[in-house]
Amino acid sequence: YRPAESEFDRIFTVSLFFPDLLPPGVCNLLNPAAIYANNEISLGDVEIYGFDYDYTLAQYSNLLHSMIFNTARDILIEQYKYPEGLGKYDYIPGFAIRGLHYDVKKSLLMKIDAFHYVQLGTAYRGLRPVPDEEVIELYGGTQHIPLYQMSDFYGKGPSLKQFMDIFSLPEMTLLSSVIDYFLAHGIEFDQIHLYKDISDAIKDVHVKGMMYQWIEKDMEKYILHGDETYAVLNRLVNHNKKLFLITNSPFSFVDKGMKHMVGKNWRDLFDMVIVQADKPNFFTDRRKPFRKLDDKGSLQWDKISQLEKGKIYKEGNLFDFLRLTGWRGSKVLYFGDHLYSDLADLMLRHGWRTGAIVPELETEIRIINTEQYMHSLTWQQALTGLLERMQMHQDAESKQVLLEWMQERQEIRSLTKNLFNPQFGSIFRTFHNPTYFSRRLVRFSDIYMASISCLLNYDVNFTFYPRRTPLQHEAPLWMDQLCTGCMKTPFLEEMVHIR
C-alpha cells in the first residue's frame, strides 16, 4: 500500500484496492454567481426586502483598504506619536482574511475553527508565523480556546476580538505591521494599549468622515457594479416588493452613492430609508426614537408617529420600526455583510429571514473549481481513508508506510490551504472543519452569496432548498459528494433568461 510516484498512479492504485475511498465521479463545477442556502426559503413568501448599504448595495474596490491603512498609520505617527519608522510599512493585500481572532494579551492573530481550536500554522504575531509548539504552550498545552475566552454574541470577548467585517482587513494588517516593527526594534509595549490605539486610529478614519470623502470624490474608482445594484432594486419593485434601507452610514454619503448607482430618483424605489442607525444597537435598544431628516439632510423636530415612503429617518430602533410598519416574521428578508451587526439579532430575536453578502465567496469558488484543488482534495481524502482503515497493521513496515501517509496528508493539507491564502487559508474551512466564521454564517443567515446581483439569476418566486449534508454516521451513503467536499450545486445557465 505504499503510495506510488505520480498523483494519477496513486489514485489509480487506491481505486483498484479500495474503490470505496474514491468518489465515482467529478462534481459539477460550482457557480460563483449562485446563491447558497443554509435554510429552506421561498422568495415567493417574501414581501419586503431590506438592505444594508456598505458592502451590500455598494460594493467597494480593494483600493479603499490601502487608503484606510495609510491614513490610520499616519494618525498613529502624527497624533499618537508612534515611531516614524512605521511610515515604511504599506498595506499588504491578501495578508489577512475575514473572520480571524486576535488575542489581545498574547498579540496573536489566528484562525479558529467551529470547535474553538486554533488551526496550527495560522497563528501570527506581527507579520511572522508563531511555531505550533509555542501556540500550544501559550494555551496551556492545547490548541483549544475555552468558551469563556471566546468572543461573545457580537464578536467581542474579554481578551479575544473577532474581525468580522470587510473594513477590518486593513485594521488586521496595521495591527500586524505595528507589532512587527516593535518586535524587530526591541521596543517593549503594552498589548492592550497598542490594540486600543490602532482600533481608535481605524475608527477615526470612519467617524471623522475621511473614508466617505474619498469615495465621494471618485465614485467611479471606489464603487463597483452599480448597474447591477440598480437592476436588482428595479426588478424587485417591478414585482411589487417593498424595499427598505437600514445603514449606519450618514445620509449625504448614502445619497451620493445611490445617485451614482441608481439615479437621482433612487428614493422612489424605497418605502423606508434609515441612516446612522447605530446597528447592532438598533436591533436591541428601545430607547432611541426616530428623527426625520429633510431633503438636505437637516434634522427635524416633530415626533414620529408614522414612517412615510420617500422620507429619510435617522437612528430609531427596530421595536418602533416593527410597531409602525407591521413588517414581521418570514415575509421580511434582510441582506447585510456583517454577520453580527446586520443579521444575528434579526434571525434569532425577530424571526426575519436573512441573506449574507460574502464577496470572498466568488474567489474561493473559483479556487475550488481548479483542477489542482480537486486533485489535492481527492487524494487527501483517499489518504485519510487509508489511514483510518490500515492503522491496525502495526508491524515495522506498515508503521513506516502509515507515517509516510500521515506526512504526505499533512503536506497536501498545507498546500490546499495555501491555494486560498498563504497565511490563513480559506475563510470557510480549517483543514477539514468549518471555521468559526462558517459556523456563524450558517447560524445567522438563511442564504448567502457573493453579491446581491446573484438575485438576478433566480425567479422572484424561486425556492432555495439546502442540500442535505451528511451527518458522520450517514457518511457512507454520501460517497458521490466527497470529491470536492461540496454538495452538487446546479448550474444557473438555464435561468439566465430571468435576468
Side-chain angles (χ1 to χ4, degrees):
Y1 307 119
R2 188 179 299 277
E5 289 299 316
S6 77
E7 181 177 283
F8 291 104
D9 286 343
R10 290 180 294 184
I11 293 175
F12 177 72
T13 302
V14 172
S15 69
L16 287 178
F17 291 98
F18 305 100
D20 59 315
L21 292 182
L22 291 176
V26 177
C27 285
N28 289 332
L29 296 181
L30 296 178
N31 192 319
I35 293 176
Y36 297 92
N38 295 318
N39 193 19
E40 185 172 322
I41 175 174
S42 173
L43 296 183
D45 296 333
V46 176
E47 301 172 12
I48 304 127
Y49 283 75
F51 300 92
D52 179 34
Y53 180 71
D54 296 304
Y55 281 108
T56 300
L57 290 181
Q59 293 285 333
Y60 298 122
S61 164
N62 290 336
L63 295 172
L64 197 59
H65 297 160
S66 296
M67 295 289 288
I68 294 172
F69 177 94
N70 293 341
T71 304
R73 177 201 63 202
D74 293 345
I75 289 173
L76 288 176
I77 295 171
E78 295 166 10
Q79 298 181 24
Y80 291 79
K81 306 306 177 185
Y82 273 56
E84 292 186 0
L86 288 172
K88 296 180 180 178
Y89 284 81
D90 293 318
Y91 180 66
I92 308 171
F95 170 72
I97 61 172
R98 202 153 51 116
L100 299 179
H101 282 79
Y102 180 69
D103 190 321
V104 177
K105 295 179 180 178
K106 296 179 176 65
S107 299
L108 280 185
L109 184 65
M110 55 195 169
K111 189 166 77 170
I112 296 176
D113 72 12
F115 300 96
H116 298 190
Y117 282 83
V118 180
Q119 180 181 359
L120 294 180
T122 68
Y124 276 69
R125 181 178 288 116
L127 298 173
R128 298 179 182 276
V130 178
D132 295 343
E133 299 78 13
E134 184 178 342
V135 173
I136 293 171
E137 183 180 350
L138 284 169
Y139 289 101
T142 178
Q143 299 166 240
H144 185 260
I145 310 292
L147 181 62
Y148 72 88
Q149 292 183 23
M150 291 292 288
S151 306
D152 69 2
F153 188 69
Y154 297 109
K156 299 175 182 177
S159 61
L160 286 182
K161 156 75 176 176
Q162 189 179 17
F163 292 101
M164 289 296 279
D165 73 5
I166 301 169
F167 286 129
S168 66
L169 293 174
E171 181 176 357
M172 287 185 276
T173 308
L174 182 59
L175 191 60
S176 299
S177 298
V178 173
I179 292 172
D180 182 77
Y181 181 88
F182 279 20
L183 293 177
H185 291 81
I187 301 173
E188 293 186 6
F189 61 94
D190 183 287
Q191 292 100 326
I192 296 175
H193 291 327
L194 182 139
Y195 169 73
K196 186 177 185 305
D197 288 347
I198 293 170
S199 179
D200 288 346
I202 290 284
K203 190 181 299 182
D204 278 351
V205 176
H206 297 279
V207 173
K208 294 183 178 179
M210 290 178 251
M211 187 191 75
Y212 302 139
Q213 292 170 14
W214 305 330
I215 296 173
E216 288 174 7
K217 286 180 180 177
D218 198 343
M219 293 188 183
E220 289 290 344
K221 179 179 179 181
Y222 291 115
I223 296 182
L224 307 176
H225 314 306
D227 55 335
E228 295 179 357
T229 297
Y230 170 75
V232 170
L233 299 177
N234 190 58
R235 184 165 176 258
L236 292 174
V237 170
N238 288 340
H239 283 85
N240 300 314
K241 305 297 183 181
K242 295 182 183 297
L243 308 184
F244 67 93
L245 173 65
I246 302 178
T247 176
N248 287 348
S249 292
F251 171 68
S252 60
F253 174 69
V254 174
D255 185 48
K256 291 173 183 174
M258 290 299 289
K259 284 178 178 175
H260 172 76
M261 293 186 290
V262 178
K264 63 179 181 179
N265 296 322
W266 69 272
R267 286 162 56 185
D268 294 342
L269 298 172
F270 288 86
D271 289 80
M272 232 70 69
V273 176
I274 300 166
V275 298
Q276 292 177 275
D278 190 28
K279 296 178 294 181
N281 295 328
F282 179 89
F283 301 126
T284 58
D285 190 343
R286 299 172 181 263
R287 293 173 294 180
K288 283 187 179 179
F290 284 106
R291 296 193 67 175
K292 190 186 294 184
L293 303 180
D294 64 18
D295 291 339
K296 296 181 180 179
S298 299
L299 283 171
Q300 303 297 292
W301 302 100
D302 47 324
K303 185 176 181 179
I304 305 301
S305 57
Q306 61 178 331
L307 297 176
E308 304 173 60
K309 179 178 173 62
K311 301 297 183 182
I312 307 297
Y313 298 92
K314 176 183 176 182
E315 297 177 343
N317 64 82
L318 185 66
F319 301 93
D320 285 344
F321 181 89
L322 297 175
R323 177 176 57 83
L324 295 171
T325 63
W327 294 349
R328 299 177 182 274
S330 58
K331 67 180 180 181
V332 185
L333 172 57
Y334 185 82
F335 293 90
D337 69 287
H338 198 300
L339 300 182
Y340 297 140
S341 296
D342 289 324
L343 307 181
D345 288 299
L346 293 177
M347 169 171 274
L348 300 183
R349 303 179 196 269
H350 301 288
W352 284 8
R353 309 311 294 266
T354 56
I357 303 301
V358 189
E360 300 94 335
L361 191 62
E362 182 174 357
T363 300
E364 295 233 354
I365 286 177
R366 294 193 188 283
I367 294 169
I368 288 172
N369 285 341
T370 62
E371 188 174 349
Q372 183 180 7
Y373 176 87
M374 291 182 181
H375 284 169
S376 295
L377 195 57
T378 299
W379 181 237
Q380 179 183 315
Q381 294 192 173
L383 279 172
T384 301
L386 286 169
L387 285 166
E388 183 177 50
R389 185 168 300 182
M390 305 304 294
Q391 61 184 308
M392 73 286 297
H393 297 282
Q394 292 297 308
D395 58 277
E397 185 177 4
S398 295
K399 284 184 177 180
Q400 181 60 34
V401 172
L402 289 169
L403 179 62
E404 291 176 9
W405 281 345
M406 284 189 283
Q407 291 172 341
E408 184 175 6
R409 176 174 178 259
Q410 185 57 39
E411 290 171 3
I412 294 174
R413 291 167 81 180
S414 296
L415 287 172
T416 305
K417 182 206 84 170
N418 292 344
L419 292 175
F420 296 95
N421 178 283
Q423 292 75 235
F424 301 103
S426 166
I427 73 169
F428 299 104
R429 279 198 179 274
T430 57
F431 290 130
H432 53 278
N433 288 333
T435 60
Y436 195 86
F437 177 90
S438 283
R439 177 185 180 184
R440 304 316 244 181
L441 178 67
V442 171
R443 185 69 184 92
F444 298 148
S445 65
D446 291 291
I447 53 178
Y448 63 100
M449 65 211 76
S451 73
I452 61 166
S453 66
C454 297
L455 287 168
L456 297 172
N457 293 309
Y458 298 85
D459 186 86
V460 292
N461 294 310
F462 190 86
T463 298
F464 294 98
Y465 296 96
R467 297 298 182 266
R468 181 185 171 98
T469 54
L471 302 172
Q472 286 301 304
H473 64 274
E474 299 173 322
L477 305 175
W478 295 77
M479 290 305 297
D480 64 321
Q481 294 171 352
L482 291 180
C483 52
T484 59
C486 59
M487 301 303 105
K488 290 183 179 179
T489 303
F491 282 103
L492 304 178
E493 293 171 357
E494 66 275 18
M495 289 184 268
V496 170
H497 69 279
I498 296 170
R499 283 184 181 267

mmCIF file of all heavy atoms in Angstrom, residues 137-158:
data_model
loop_
_atom_site.group_PDB
_atom_site.id
_atom_site.type_symbol
_atom_site.label_atom_id
_atom_site.label_comp_id
_atom_site.label_asym_id
_atom_site.label_seq_id
_atom_site.Cartn_x
_atom_site.Cartn_y
_atom_site.Cartn_z
ATOM 1 N N GLU A 137 1.816 25.800 23.767
ATOM 2 C CA GLU A 137 2.306 26.152 25.107
ATOM 3 C C GLU A 137 1.578 27.381 25.654
ATOM 4 O O GLU A 137 1.229 27.437 26.839
ATOM 5 C CB GLU A 137 3.813 26.424 25.049
ATOM 6 C CG GLU A 137 4.421 26.730 26.417
ATOM 7 C CD GLU A 137 5.922 26.990 26.338
ATOM 8 O OE1 GLU A 137 6.509 26.747 25.258
ATOM 9 O OE2 GLU A 137 6.497 27.452 27.338
ATOM 10 N N LEU A 138 1.327 28.368 24.784
ATOM 11 C CA LEU A 138 0.655 29.588 25.228
ATOM 12 C C LEU A 138 -0.759 29.312 25.745
ATOM 13 O O LEU A 138 -1.277 30.041 26.591
ATOM 14 C CB LEU A 138 0.582 30.593 24.074
ATOM 15 C CG LEU A 138 1.877 31.336 23.732
ATOM 16 C CD1 LEU A 138 1.714 32.089 22.417
ATOM 17 C CD2 LEU A 138 2.242 32.307 24.851
ATOM 18 N N TYR A 139 -1.390 28.255 25.230
ATOM 19 C CA TYR A 139 -2.751 27.933 25.643
ATOM 20 C C TYR A 139 -2.793 26.690 26.541
ATOM 21 O O TYR A 139 -3.748 25.921 26.513
ATOM 22 C CB TYR A 139 -3.652 27.778 24.422
ATOM 23 C CG TYR A 139 -3.901 29.114 23.761
ATOM 24 C CD1 TYR A 139 -3.203 29.481 22.615
ATOM 25 C CD2 TYR A 139 -4.786 30.038 24.317
ATOM 26 C CE1 TYR A 139 -3.398 30.728 22.033
ATOM 27 C CE2 TYR A 139 -4.982 31.277 23.745
ATOM 28 C CZ TYR A 139 -4.294 31.619 22.601
ATOM 29 O OH TYR A 139 -4.473 32.855 22.033
ATOM 30 N N GLY A 140 -1.726 26.534 27.340
ATOM 31 C CA GLY A 140 -1.723 25.507 28.385
ATOM 32 C C GLY A 140 -1.631 24.093 27.880
ATOM 33 O O GLY A 140 -2.224 23.179 28.467
ATOM 34 N N GLY A 141 -0.920 23.895 26.769
ATOM 35 C CA GLY A 141 -0.722 22.542 26.253
ATOM 36 C C GLY A 141 -1.809 22.058 25.317
ATOM 37 O O GLY A 141 -1.907 20.851 25.063
ATOM 38 N N THR A 142 -2.600 22.970 24.774
ATOM 39 C CA THR A 142 -3.690 22.580 23.886
ATOM 40 C C THR A 142 -3.881 23.632 22.797
ATOM 41 O O THR A 142 -3.424 24.766 22.946
ATOM 42 C CB THR A 142 -5.011 22.408 24.668
ATOM 43 O OG1 THR A 142 -6.063 22.067 23.756
ATOM 44 C CG2 THR A 142 -5.388 23.695 25.379
ATOM 45 N N GLN A 143 -4.561 23.231 21.726
ATOM 46 C CA GLN A 143 -4.949 24.191 20.685
ATOM 47 C C GLN A 143 -6.314 24.811 20.981
ATOM 48 O O GLN A 143 -6.764 25.697 20.260
ATOM 49 C CB GLN A 143 -5.055 23.489 19.325
ATOM 50 C CG GLN A 143 -3.785 22.861 18.818
ATOM 51 C CD GLN A 143 -4.070 21.928 17.662
ATOM 52 O OE1 GLN A 143 -3.790 20.734 17.731
ATOM 53 N NE2 GLN A 143 -4.645 22.441 16.586
ATOM 54 N N HIS A 144 -6.966 24.339 22.017
ATOM 55 C CA HIS A 144 -8.344 24.723 22.287
ATOM 56 C C HIS A 144 -8.426 26.038 23.056
ATOM 57 O O HIS A 144 -7.679 26.271 23.994
ATOM 58 C CB HIS A 144 -9.040 23.622 23.096
ATOM 59 C CG HIS A 144 -10.499 23.876 23.319
ATOM 60 N ND1 HIS A 144 -10.989 24.388 24.496
ATOM 61 C CD2 HIS A 144 -11.563 23.706 22.499
ATOM 62 C CE1 HIS A 144 -12.310 24.518 24.405
ATOM 63 N NE2 HIS A 144 -12.680 24.110 23.212
ATOM 64 N N ILE A 145 -9.361 26.901 22.615
ATOM 65 C CA ILE A 145 -9.624 28.158 23.315
ATOM 66 C C ILE A 145 -10.909 27.979 24.120
ATOM 67 O O ILE A 145 -11.972 27.745 23.529
ATOM 68 C CB ILE A 145 -9.803 29.343 22.333
ATOM 69 C CG1 ILE A 145 -8.654 29.388 21.329
ATOM 70 C CG2 ILE A 145 -9.937 30.645 23.092
ATOM 71 C CD1 ILE A 145 -7.318 29.729 21.909
ATOM 72 N N PRO A 146 -10.868 28.067 25.448
ATOM 73 C CA PRO A 146 -12.081 27.851 26.256
ATOM 74 C C PRO A 146 -13.181 28.840 25.903
ATOM 75 O O PRO A 146 -12.917 29.971 25.482
ATOM 76 C CB PRO A 146 -11.587 28.074 27.694
ATOM 77 C CG PRO A 146 -10.112 27.846 27.636
ATOM 78 C CD PRO A 146 -9.685 28.313 26.281
ATOM 79 N N LEU A 147 -14.409 28.407 26.093
ATOM 80 C CA LEU A 147 -15.570 29.208 25.730
ATOM 81 C C LEU A 147 -15.576 30.570 26.406
ATOM 82 O O LEU A 147 -15.923 31.574 25.792
ATOM 83 C CB LEU A 147 -16.849 28.444 26.083
ATOM 84 C CG LEU A 147 -18.174 29.134 25.749
ATOM 85 C CD1 LEU A 147 -18.293 29.348 24.244
ATOM 86 C CD2 LEU A 147 -19.350 28.306 26.263
ATOM 87 N N TYR A 148 -15.169 30.630 27.674
ATOM 88 C CA TYR A 148 -15.225 31.910 28.394
ATOM 89 C C TYR A 148 -14.266 32.940 27.818
ATOM 90 O O TYR A 148 -14.432 34.144 28.047
ATOM 91 C CB TYR A 148 -14.949 31.701 29.889
ATOM 92 C CG TYR A 148 -13.519 31.373 30.244
ATOM 93 C CD1 TYR A 148 -12.581 32.386 30.492
ATOM 94 C CD2 TYR A 148 -13.087 30.053 30.344
ATOM 95 C CE1 TYR A 148 -11.267 32.084 30.811
ATOM 96 C CE2 TYR A 148 -11.778 29.737 30.658
ATOM 97 C CZ TYR A 148 -10.873 30.759 30.901
ATOM 98 O OH TYR A 148 -9.573 30.469 31.220
ATOM 99 N N GLN A 149 -13.262 32.491 27.071
ATOM 100 C CA GLN A 149 -12.335 33.429 26.448
ATOM 101 C C GLN A 149 -12.792 33.862 25.056
ATOM 102 O O GLN A 149 -12.308 34.851 24.512
ATOM 103 C CB GLN A 149 -10.940 32.799 26.319
ATOM 104 C CG GLN A 149 -10.234 32.559 27.640
ATOM 105 C CD GLN A 149 -8.834 32.016 27.430
ATOM 106 O OE1 GLN A 149 -8.238 32.195 26.374
ATOM 107 N NE2 GLN A 149 -8.306 31.343 28.441
ATOM 108 N N MET A 150 -13.721 33.094 24.488
ATOM 109 C CA MET A 150 -14.115 33.354 23.106
ATOM 110 C C MET A 150 -14.971 34.602 23.007
ATOM 111 O O MET A 150 -15.478 35.141 23.985
ATOM 112 C CB MET A 150 -14.888 32.160 22.542
ATOM 113 C CG MET A 150 -14.031 30.924 22.335
ATOM 114 S SD MET A 150 -12.808 31.129 21.033
ATOM 115 C CE MET A 150 -13.866 31.113 19.605
ATOM 116 N N SER A 151 -15.162 35.038 21.778
ATOM 117 C CA SER A 151 -15.977 36.211 21.516
ATOM 118 C C SER A 151 -17.401 35.997 22.010
ATOM 119 O O SER A 151 -17.918 34.883 21.994
ATOM 120 C CB SER A 151 -16.008 36.516 20.017
ATOM 121 O OG SER A 151 -14.706 36.619 19.504
ATOM 122 N N ASP A 152 -18.040 37.075 22.428
ATOM 123 C CA ASP A 152 -19.425 36.987 22.825
ATOM 124 C C ASP A 152 -20.330 37.038 21.588
ATOM 125 O O ASP A 152 -19.874 36.862 20.461
ATOM 126 C CB ASP A 152 -19.783 38.099 23.815
ATOM 127 C CG ASP A 152 -19.798 39.488 23.177
ATOM 128 O OD1 ASP A 152 -19.564 39.597 21.951
ATOM 129 O OD2 ASP A 152 -20.042 40.462 23.904
ATOM 130 N N PHE A 153 -21.608 37.307 21.790
ATOM 131 C CA PHE A 153 -22.600 37.287 20.713
ATOM 132 C C PHE A 153 -22.211 38.216 19.568
ATOM 133 O O PHE A 153 -22.522 37.950 18.417
ATOM 134 C CB PHE A 153 -23.954 37.712 21.292
ATOM 135 C CG PHE A 153 -25.097 37.542 20.343
ATOM 136 C CD1 PHE A 153 -25.528 36.269 19.985
ATOM 137 C CD2 PHE A 153 -25.748 38.630 19.802
ATOM 138 C CE1 PHE A 153 -26.589 36.102 19.112
ATOM 139 C CE2 PHE A 153 -26.810 38.464 18.929
ATOM 140 C CZ PHE A 153 -27.236 37.196 18.593
ATOM 141 N N TYR A 154 -21.503 39.328 19.873
ATOM 142 C CA TYR A 154 -21.156 40.298 18.837
ATOM 143 C C TYR A 154 -19.657 40.288 18.507
ATOM 144 O O TYR A 154 -19.127 41.250 17.990
ATOM 145 C CB TYR A 154 -21.586 41.699 19.266
ATOM 146 C CG TYR A 154 -23.073 41.829 19.449
ATOM 147 C CD1 TYR A 154 -23.627 41.964 20.707
ATOM 148 C CD2 TYR A 154 -23.932 41.772 18.357
ATOM 149 C CE1 TYR A 154 -25.002 42.054 20.888
ATOM 150 C CE2 TYR A 154 -25.304 41.850 18.520
ATOM 151 C CZ TYR A 154 -25.833 41.999 19.788
ATOM 152 O OH TYR A 154 -27.186 42.080 19.952
ATOM 153 N N GLY A 155 -18.980 39.195 18.811
ATOM 154 C CA GLY A 155 -17.582 39.071 18.423
ATOM 155 C C GLY A 155 -16.605 39.811 19.299
ATOM 156 O O GLY A 155 -15.490 40.106 18.881
ATOM 157 N N LYS A 156 -17.022 40.135 20.539
ATOM 158 C CA LYS A 156 -16.136 40.860 21.446
ATOM 159 C C LYS A 156 -16.032 40.091 22.754
ATOM 160 O O LYS A 156 -16.938 40.117 23.575
ATOM 161 C CB LYS A 156 -16.666 42.272 21.707
ATOM 162 C CG LYS A 156 -16.779 43.138 20.465
ATOM 163 C CD LYS A 156 -17.418 44.473 20.781
ATOM 164 C CE LYS A 156 -17.585 45.314 19.527
ATOM 165 N NZ LYS A 156 -18.267 46.603 19.789
ATOM 166 N N GLY A 157 -14.922 39.375 22.940
ATOM 167 C CA GLY A 157 -14.708 38.628 24.163
ATOM 168 C C GLY A 157 -13.848 39.406 25.129
ATOM 169 O O GLY A 157 -13.380 40.502 24.831
ATOM 170 N N PRO A 158 -13.590 38.837 26.320
ATOM 171 C CA PRO A 158 -12.762 39.540 27.309
ATOM 172 C C PRO A 158 -11.331 39.767 26.850
ATOM 173 O O PRO A 158 -10.712 40.759 27.200
ATOM 174 C CB PRO A 158 -12.822 38.613 28.532
ATOM 175 C CG PRO A 158 -13.216 37.275 27.977
ATOM 176 C CD PRO A 158 -14.093 37.559 26.803
#
